[in-house]
Amino acid sequence: MRSRSRRRVAVSEESPERSEPAAPQGLVRLLQEFTLEANRYVDSAGGRNDMHRTDLNALAVIMRHTAKDQIVTPGVLRKELNLSSPATTALIDRLHGSGHVVRERQGSDRRQVQLRMTPKAYRDGGAMFLPLARQMGAAMAEFTPSELDVAARFMESMIAATIRAAQEAAGPGQA
């Protein structure tokens, strides 16, 4: 039988190997703990490579848009990372200086700067996140495909709820 997190220790009398479902507040606490540990990992991995968390977040934004064949501009980064224009420029300068991003002017509007990740960014990112991917892959192997489907639906719902909460917290006209 698959192992369960040591944090969920309540055991049903009918099946001593299966934990009872966590209460909603317990799940929220686990999501908060996961976020904290993920942030610690990003800080650690980025720090070993002289990259800020914002740098890694920017590369993730560029990668996500690139995967959808969408153009990434400084304005896209500014909006998605909630940065000022000067902070966005400093971010792009760091990523360009480290060899992770190139600025290009393509298409009919040559004034528009487009950002593209370099092969170095993909190599460095792969190396930084390989330990996390390996450990998460091993942990996911303990679950059935149907359990992973439920977990994926849950996480998608939690992401959407977090986006809505951020919009609500920002107030009218701020999101």
Side-chain angles (χ1 to χ4, degrees):
M1 184 76 26
R2 70 187 65 76
S3 65
R4 294 290 184 199
S5 169
R6 61 186 152 84
R7 291 174 191 88
R8 288 185 16 195
V9 294
V11 177
S12 161
E13 294 198 27
E14 298 138 11
S15 173
E17 295 177 343
R18 293 198 52 98
S19 297
E20 292 179 14
Q25 60 271 34
L27 287 173
V28 170
R29 184 185 53 75
L30 289 171
L31 286 169
Q32 291 168 335
E33 192 171 333
F34 173 78
T35 300
L36 177 63
E37 293 304 328
N39 286 338
R40 285 180 179 156
Y41 183 86
V42 168
D43 288 341
S44 175
R48 283 192 311 271
N49 293 279
D50 294 323
M51 295 185 77
H52 302 265
R53 182 184 307 189
T54 306
D55 299 344
L56 296 173
N57 288 340
L59 292 175
V61 167
I62 295 169
M63 192 180 309
R64 188 178 73 241
H65 282 276
T66 301
K68 296 177 184 176
D69 289 325
Q70 297 172 339
I71 293 172
V72 183
T73 64
V76 168
L77 283 185
R78 184 183 55 74
K79 182 179 177 188
E80 289 211 23
L81 299 176
N82 196 28
L83 299 172
S84 66
S85 291
T88 304
T89 299
L91 167 66
I92 295 168
D93 287 346
R94 279 195 312 272
L95 292 174
H96 184 264
S98 66
H100 292 108
V101 167
V102 293
R103 296 173 172 111
E104 297 179 334
R105 295 179 189 273
Q106 296 181 343
S108 59
D109 186 355
R110 305 280 296 159
R111 295 170 297 171
Q112 182 186 58
V113 173
Q114 298 175 17
L115 305 172
R116 187 174 51 81
M117 287 176 52
T118 64
K120 179 184 188 321
Y122 287 101
R123 279 192 312 274
D124 290 354
M128 275 189 273
F129 290 97
L130 179 62
L132 182 62
R134 188 178 58 247
Q135 293 295 330
M136 287 183 150
M140 283 188 262
E142 298 178 9
F143 296 89
T144 67
S146 62
E147 288 174 320
L148 291 174
D149 286 344
V150 170
R153 280 193 1 250
F154 173 79
M155 291 303 298
E156 288 168 356
S157 184
M158 293 301 98
I159 291 166
T162 303
I163 291 168
R164 290 191 305 272
Q167 293 168 341
E168 184 179 320
Q174 299 296 314

